[in-house]
């Protein structure tokens, strides 16, 4: 992991963007770069930039997960070679899944800010106008981003949370907040339970720190940074994955009733995906924001799903489209291309300013209703669960369910969050295998059983060469 730590040290400020905040810091030595509150504030904005990379939400952890799980197909009728690895689930220790480096870079960046606030608070408070709450808000942002990073890592590289074996199942390394320690450490993989407990502690501590009305200043899209209710939304999802249904329901309800968000109706749902910014959009809670000055995401979701102006490798699968009623807005918003009759492509990444600069949702208010529906189902409040399911279907021109069942909750999640990456995690945590009918001839791993080793991504050889304590997942 030294490789990642060194990368984190180099990119800690180099990734700062004037499109996220006003004046990026460019100094590389943290003691110098974090000498003032303004420096600290700018450094807090940097971890967000990692999210838009192709190995994270820019492509891998959103759209490509749907290719793997049957919502989409890559390579037919258009093939530029992009997406073959995902169609075939062909990930190896020598190349493939690259979220690891991006997420640990973000963690390292967050740790630097957290460490400085914890150990140098008085020096910042000595500056004119700086208050404890200002520092606490920055602490809350970094704790949230660190939690999100660890959450994604443990979801990809480890088994789902199960209370019985969680104490022994291998999670991911947790690195020291002290940059001097983490730069030379060779950390072992912690247990799944330890990682999830660390995530929950980060998020609850973030809530304790952040002002409920805090919004990061000088940003082009306020939905691209952390707020109090963003933390609650992620915590709702984490609690659901941990089977803590009481807390999942509580957090989801807090977000639903806070007044900042409203589920999009059918027409608003369509326009959501073409908006350049989501600051005024009440469906989106938190997401990735991109602008042209940051550079295009060449293999990003927009390019991969546009057969006319982009590559068009990734189309809608018949396995997914056959699940939806003909009037369901989620189906009618998919688009065809005259040159390729009989096929349709996802239209969730057709941003007005250009498909190479797609915004990517990470948390939406619709998810809070479906999290609460699932939590209420397990809490034997089936009427409440059905009411939450109906809130979603009634705003999508979709037929209502007659009962709240796990099958219906799973199905509605698959419909609502298609091409956003949820489906992989839902298959995994529900303990379901993937069965695909609409595939390219010769596809490897067309069906992936629930107990397949492929559900855990491989630790890369390059990382394990540097850190011999990093145990490989079975099968690789």
């Amino acid at each position: 992991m030294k490789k990642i730590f060194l990368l984190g040290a180099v990119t800690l400020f180099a990734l700062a963007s004037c499109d996220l905040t006003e004046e990026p810091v460019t100094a590389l030595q943290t003691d110098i770069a974090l000498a003032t509150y303004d420096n600290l504030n700018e450094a807090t904005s940097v971890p967000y930039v990692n999210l838009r990379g192709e190995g994270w939400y820019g492509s891998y952890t959103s759209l490509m997960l749907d290719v793997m799980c049957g919502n989409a197909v890559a390579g037919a009728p258009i093939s530029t070679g992009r997406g073959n690895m995902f169609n075939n689930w062909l990930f190896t220790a020598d190349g493939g899944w690259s979220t690891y480096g991006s997420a640990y870079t973000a963690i390292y960046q967050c740790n630097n800010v957290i460490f400085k606030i914890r150990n140098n608070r008085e020096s910042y408070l000595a500056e004119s106008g700086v208050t404890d709450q200002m520092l606490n808000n920055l602490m809350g942002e970094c704790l949230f981003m660190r939690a999100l990073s660890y959450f994604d890592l443990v979801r990809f590289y480890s088994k789902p949370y199960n209370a019985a074996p969680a104490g022994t199942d291998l999670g991911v390394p947790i690195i020291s907040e002290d940059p001097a320690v983490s730069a030379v450490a060779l950390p072992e993989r912690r247990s799944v339970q330890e990682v999830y407990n660390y995530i929950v502690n980060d998020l609850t501590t973030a809530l304790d720190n952040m002002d409920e009305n805090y919004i990061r200043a000088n940003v082009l899209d306020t939905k691209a940074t952390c707020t109090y209710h963003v933390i609650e939304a992620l915590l709702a999802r984490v609690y659901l994955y941990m089977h803590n249904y009481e807390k999942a329901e509580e957090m989801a309800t807090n977000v639903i009733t806070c007044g900042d968000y409203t589920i999009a109706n059918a027409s608003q749902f369509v326009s959501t995906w073409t908006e350049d910014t989501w600051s005024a959009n009440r469906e989106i809670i938190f997401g990735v924001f991109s602008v042209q000055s940051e550079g295009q995401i060449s293999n990003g979701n927009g390019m991969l799903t546009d057969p006319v102006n982009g590559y068009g490798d990734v189309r809608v699968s018949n396995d997914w489209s056959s699940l939806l009623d003909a009037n369901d807005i989620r189906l009618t918003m998919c688009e065809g291309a005259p040159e390729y009759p009989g096929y349709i492509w996802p239209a969730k990444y057709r941003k007005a300013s250009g498909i190479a600069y797609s915004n990517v949702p990470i948390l939406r208010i619709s998810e809070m209703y479906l999290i609460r529906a699932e939590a209420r189902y397990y809490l034997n409040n089936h009427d409440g669960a059905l009411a939450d399911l109906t809130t979603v279907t009634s705003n999508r021109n979709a037929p209502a369910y007659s009962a709240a069942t796990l099958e219906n909750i799973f199905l509605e999640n698959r419909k609502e969050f298609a091409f956003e990456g949820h489906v992989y995690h839902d298959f995994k945590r529900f303990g379901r295998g993937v069965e695909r009918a609409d595939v390219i001839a010769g596809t490897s791993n067309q069906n992936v059983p629930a107990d397949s080793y492929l559900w855990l991504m491989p630790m890369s050889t390059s990382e394990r060469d540097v850190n011999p304590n990093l145990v490989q997942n079975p099968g690789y």
Side-chain angles (χ1 to χ4, degrees):
M1 300 216 8
K2 287 181 183 176
K3 173 185 172 184
I4 290 176
F5 295 154
L6 291 175
L7 175 63
V10 171
T11 61
L12 175 59
F13 302 109
L15 288 177
S17 167
C18 59
D19 295 307
L20 182 61
T21 55
E22 288 186 338
E23 296 181 6
V25 178
T26 56
L28 295 180
Q29 296 180 357
T30 58
D31 285 340
I32 298 173
L34 299 180
T36 69
Y37 171 82
D38 286 343
N39 297 153
L40 198 70
N41 184 40
E42 292 297 335
T44 301
S45 74
V46 176
Y48 296 111
V49 181
N50 294 282
L51 294 173
R52 73 186 294 267
E54 292 169 13
W56 209 349
Y57 285 96
S59 179
Y60 278 31
T61 64
S62 49
L63 179 68
M64 289 308 186
L65 294 179
D66 284 72
V67 172
M68 294 165 59
C69 294
N71 285 354
V73 177
I78 300 173
S79 178
T80 67
R82 297 169 172 85
N84 290 343
M85 175 174 66
F86 305 93
N87 260 341
N88 295 286
W89 288 65
L90 292 179
F91 308 108
T92 71
D94 295 319
W97 205 259
S98 61
T99 307
Y100 196 90
S102 299
Y104 272 110
T105 297
I107 289 167
Y108 190 94
Q109 294 162 344
C110 292
N111 280 351
N112 274 280
V113 175
I114 294 168
F115 183 79
K116 295 296 283 189
I117 294 176
R118 291 197 200 277
N119 292 278
N120 298 81
R121 178 176 288 265
E122 293 306 317
S123 66
Y124 296 119
L125 291 175
E127 296 180 44
S128 176
V130 177
T131 66
D132 270 315
Q133 188 58 59
M134 291 166 65
L135 294 172
N136 289 345
N137 290 335
L138 301 186
M139 175 74 82
E141 286 191 79
C142 288
L143 288 170
F144 164 81
M145 273 300 301
R146 187 169 74 180
L148 175 62
S149 302
Y150 278 123
F151 185 49
D152 284 347
L153 286 165
V154 77
R155 290 194 297 166
F156 284 119
Y157 294 95
S158 305
K159 294 180 180 179
Y161 187 95
N162 185 318
T168 55
D169 284 342
L170 287 178
V172 295
I174 296 175
I175 62 175
S176 172
E177 290 179 359
D178 186 342
V181 175
S182 61
V184 297
L186 298 174
E188 297 179 349
R189 295 177 67 175
R190 306 285 280 273
S191 72
V192 167
Q193 184 173 352
E194 287 176 301
V195 177
Y196 268 90
N197 288 345
Y198 195 87
I199 292 165
V200 169
N201 184 68
D202 269 0
L203 292 173
T204 54
T205 305
L207 288 176
D208 290 339
N209 275 270
M210 186 171 284
D211 186 288
E212 191 167 342
N213 298 310
Y214 172 72
I215 299 176
R216 169 165 282 276
N218 303 318
V219 295
L220 295 180
D221 192 337
T222 57
K223 297 298 178 70
T225 59
C226 175
T227 64
Y228 188 89
H229 298 301
V230 169
I231 300 168
E232 288 186 315
L234 181 58
L235 196 49
R237 188 193 289 180
V238 171
Y239 279 135
L240 184 72
Y241 277 55
M242 296 179 72
H243 315 294
N244 188 338
Y245 301 117
E246 292 87 353
K247 296 299 289 186
E249 180 186 31
E250 177 188 342
M251 288 297 112
T253 299
N254 286 350
V255 179
I256 289 168
T257 59
C258 75
D260 290 348
Y261 312 103
T262 307
I263 190 168
N265 61 32
S267 62
Q268 293 166 339
F269 185 76
V270 174
S271 64
T272 290
W273 309 103
T274 60
E275 294 172 351
D276 278 335
T277 68
W278 282 331
S279 292
N281 188 299
R282 295 177 64 83
E283 167 72 29
I284 304 296
I285 297 174
F286 176 71
V288 177
F289 172 68
S290 297
V291 291
Q292 292 185 16
S293 56
E294 290 180 336
Q296 70 176 19
I297 307 174
S298 58
N299 292 317
N301 298 343
M303 295 292 288
L304 290 168
T305 56
D306 191 332
V308 177
N309 301 301
Y311 305 123
D313 286 68
V314 179
R315 64 164 172 85
V316 173
S317 167
N318 294 331
D319 294 344
W320 179 78
S321 61
S322 64
L323 299 174
L324 281 77
D325 181 83
N327 295 319
D328 194 315
I329 197 65
R330 294 167 295 200
L331 179 60
T332 59
M333 67 172 286
C334 298
E335 298 179 358
E339 308 95 303
Y340 306 103
Y343 296 99
I344 55 175
W345 282 260
K348 281 189 172 180
Y349 301 103
R350 306 291 175 84
K351 186 174 176 178
S353 61
I355 58 172
Y357 316 100
S358 301
N359 297 339
V360 182
I362 296 177
L363 294 163
R364 297 202 274 120
I365 191 63
S366 301
E367 183 185 359
M368 297 300 107
Y369 282 98
L370 293 179
I371 285 175
R372 194 169 69 174
E374 187 174 338
R376 285 176 166 176
Y377 171 85
Y378 280 108
L379 295 171
N380 293 316
N381 180 3
H382 291 178
D383 289 342
L386 181 59
D388 285 335
L389 273 173
T390 302
T391 297
V392 178
T393 57
S394 64
N395 282 285
R396 301 292 178 261
N397 293 344
Y401 295 102
S402 59
T405 65
L406 281 183
E407 180 60 34
N408 289 341
I409 292 167
F410 177 86
L411 180 60
E412 193 57 29
N413 272 283
R414 186 171 183 181
K415 293 177 183 179
E416 177 67 14
F417 303 110
F419 323 117
E420 298 176 46
H422 290 230
V423 65
Y424 165 90
H425 301 293
D426 286 342
F427 268 107
K428 189 172 177 178
R429 68 186 182 87
F430 272 78
R432 299 188 177 197
V434 167
E435 296 182 2
R436 296 180 290 172
D438 185 2
V439 295
I440 300 171
T443 295
S444 300
N445 300 306
Q446 176 176 343
N447 299 325
V448 181
D451 61 355
S452 172
Y453 76 92
L454 293 170
W455 289 101
L456 276 63
M457 296 302 171
M459 297 290 175
S460 74
T461 299
S462 59
E463 294 292 347
R464 295 183 68 241
D465 285 345
V466 174
N467 180 8
N469 295 325
L470 196 61
V471 177
Q472 181 60 280
N473 282 324
Y476 300 103

